Amino acid sequence: MALNLTQKKDVVAEVAEVAAKAHSLIAAEYAGTTVGQMTAMRKKARETGVYLKVVKNTLAARAVDGTEFEVAKNDLVGPLLYAFSTEEPGAAGRLIKEFAKGNDKLQPKLVVVGGQQYPASHVEVLASLPTLEQALGMLARVLAEPATMFARAVKAVADQQGGGEAAPAVEAEPVAEPA
């Protein structure tokens, strides 16, 4: 179904708004993907913070003008599915990688992160980035490690000096109550 000028402007504005806030972009060829596969992919995209859209390449090129994804404008050719990571950089990579395993028709074509365009093989790299929760867990471990090492060192010194053993219990003498 052909879009009129107003509808095209709306699509460009919508994609431009998402592109302005997104962390990464993956463009993938989707020709031959079934409706059921696309529906499942869209559902998973909503759950993981990925904006997934099939848009005419000319409209997509206009939408990414002035954003860090502008570097890919000249390579937007063929039937492409655009996946923008809106919450964390690796989300789109994990989504495309997961669905490309079960669907040989879904082929990543380019990856854009931080104003740099990379070949399709970088989907693996993007997908391997930790999630926010994983990154925070790694940071917490790094921050806790010096305290843990200090506690182990103190315990080792105490054990060497015999301070690690429990002291014998000393019975207290009864205290006389005042009359």
Side-chain angles (χ1 to χ4, degrees), residues 132-154:
L132 179 61
E133 291 82 21
Q134 291 169 335
L136 290 175
M138 290 166 38
L139 177 63
R141 277 188 300 244
V142 167
L143 293 175
E145 189 62 24
T148 304
M149 294 299 289
F150 178 73
R152 287 182 187 152
V154 168

Side-chain angles (χ1 to χ4, degrees), residues 77-100:
V77 292
L80 295 177
L81 167 78
Y82 298 95
F84 290 93
S85 293
T86 58
E87 293 178 8
E88 55 186 81
R94 286 187 289 277
L95 177 76
I96 297 298
K97 180 182 174 186
E98 177 185 335
F99 280 91

Side-chain angles (χ1 to χ4, degrees), residues 10 16 25 32 53 101 132 152 167:
D10 291 344
L25 163 69
K53 189 85 169 171
K101 283 181 187 174
L132 179 61
R152 287 182 187 152

Side-chain angles (χ1 to χ4, degrees), residues 5 49 52-53 56 64 69 90 100 103 110 128 133 143 154 160-161 163 172 174:
L5 184 60
L52 203 61
K53 189 85 169 171
K56 287 188 173 199
V64 297
F69 308 111
N103 180 6
L110 61 93
S128 67
E133 291 82 21
L143 293 175
V154 168
Q160 278 183 346
Q161 294 178 354

Side-chain angles (χ1 to χ4, degrees), residues 60-118:
R62 287 185 183 172
V64 297
D65 266 342
T67 68
E68 65 182 49
F69 308 111
E70 189 172 21
V71 296
K73 259 175 48 170
N74 297 331
D75 295 324
L76 303 179
V77 292
L80 295 177
L81 167 78
Y82 298 95
F84 290 93
S85 293
T86 58
E87 293 178 8
E88 55 186 81
R94 286 187 289 277
L95 177 76
I96 297 298
K97 180 182 174 186
E98 177 185 335
F99 280 91
K101 283 181 187 174
N103 180 6
D104 60 342
K105 304 288 186 192
L106 184 64
Q107 296 294 320
K109 288 299 169 191
L110 61 93
V111 174
V112 180
V113 179
Q116 293 285 343
Q117 181 175 334
Y118 301 99

